[in-house]
């Protein structure tokens, strides 16, 4: 059976495409989902793709991923990046390799966006590549979990 990865998106990412396009670009979340599915398919990986504006729902999805024996998680925690000890604790609790993604280069932005709780538990962090960062995160995760590209 195909390994599954979860791709989790935090608050306001439902508005991708219309939200501050000069920073986040013109791709919609549906475009990001397509990109993730196409990238994952190259490695024989199935994708659970989710978005929520609620922190606890993200925590629940980590535990669901564990119960589902998911092989890895890609997360754009969005605004919860800088505040959520609860999501960090979920990463520690489930022990599933997790890659953190940000569309923008958070280190070039306001000071309050620089510190990430999530990075303390993530295996790797990608930021500043626009939505292409999701594809890069999946490629990196595939390598981490030993999923080989299908020829
Ligand atoms: C997305 C958000 O919603 C912000 O809160 C983060 C991140 C940056 C991104 O670049 O994807 O600060």
């Amino acid at each position: 059976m195909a390994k599954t990865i979860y791709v989790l998106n935090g608050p306001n990412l439902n508005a991708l495409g219309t939200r501050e396009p000069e920073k986040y670009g013109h791709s919609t979340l549906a475009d990001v989902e397509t990109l993730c599915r196409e990238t994952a398919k190259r490695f024989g990986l199935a994708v659970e793709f989710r978005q929520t504006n609620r922190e606890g729902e993200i925590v629940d999805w980590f535990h669901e991923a564990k119960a589902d024996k998911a092989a890895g998680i890609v997360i754009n925690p969005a605004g919860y990046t800088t505040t959520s000890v609860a999501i960090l604790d979920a990463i520690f609790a489930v022990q599933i390799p997790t890659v953190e993604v940000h569309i923008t280069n958070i280190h070039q932005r306001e000071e309050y966006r620089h510190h990430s709780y999530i990075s303390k538990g993530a295996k790797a962090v990608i930021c500043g590549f626009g939505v292409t960062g999701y594809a890069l995160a999946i490629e990196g995760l595939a390598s981490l979990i030993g999923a080989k590209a299908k020829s």
Side-chain angles (χ1 to χ4, degrees), residues 54-108:
R54 280 166 281 280
E55 183 178 18
E57 200 162 16
I58 296 176
V59 173
D60 287 344
W61 288 339
F62 270 86
H63 293 283
E64 180 190 313
K66 177 78 174 175
D68 203 20
K69 298 188 169 35
I73 296 174
V74 170
I75 183 168
N76 184 344
Y80 293 132
T81 305
T82 54
T83 61
S84 187
V85 174
I87 296 174
L88 173 61
D89 283 345
I91 295 175
F92 289 141
V94 304
Q95 292 290 310
I96 297 172
T98 297
V99 178
E100 176 184 352
V101 180
H102 304 282
I103 295 165
T104 61
N105 182 346
I106 54 173
H107 302 290
Q108 277 181 352

